[in-house]
Amino acid sequence: MKISNSTILITGANRGIGLALVEQALAKGADQIYATYRSLENRARLEQFGQRVKPLHLDLSDRDTIAQLAHAVPPLAILINTAGLF
């Protein structure tokens, strides 16, 4: 899998495994990372990475945010899904 210069979507990226994957993708040279978060207080964790990481709201219990995400993200090279419901 080629990460360098890729466009990646990482769901559940505001903490834990998802956040670690954002950090690793940046270190491996990802061009653009679309990183989802569920609550606004978690958005700041993703904003610290600068322009290569675009935070996007995603709540899997809300169909509207799922539809909005589908329209906000361009064609991807890699999709990593770590978001889930408790």
Side-chain angles (χ1 to χ4, degrees), residues 40-81:
L40 289 176
E41 59 266 11
N42 292 323
R43 181 184 175 115
R45 289 184 187 146
L46 298 171
E47 290 175 335
Q48 71 178 335
F49 295 112
Q51 294 184 351
R52 287 174 50 206
V53 176
K54 181 172 182 170
L56 297 171
H57 181 246
L58 175 64
D59 181 344
L60 292 177
S61 66
D62 180 354
R63 290 180 187 251
D64 289 339
T65 66
I66 296 168
Q68 290 170 2
L69 180 67
H71 293 290
V73 176
L76 301 168
I78 301 168
L79 166 63
I80 302 171
N81 182 36

Side-chain angles (χ1 to χ4, degrees), residues 1-4 6-10 30 34 75-80:
M1 171 178 7
K2 181 182 173 237
I3 294 175
S4 179
S6 294
T7 301
I8 302 171
L9 170 61
I10 302 174
Y34 293 84
L76 301 168
I78 301 168
L79 166 63
I80 302 171

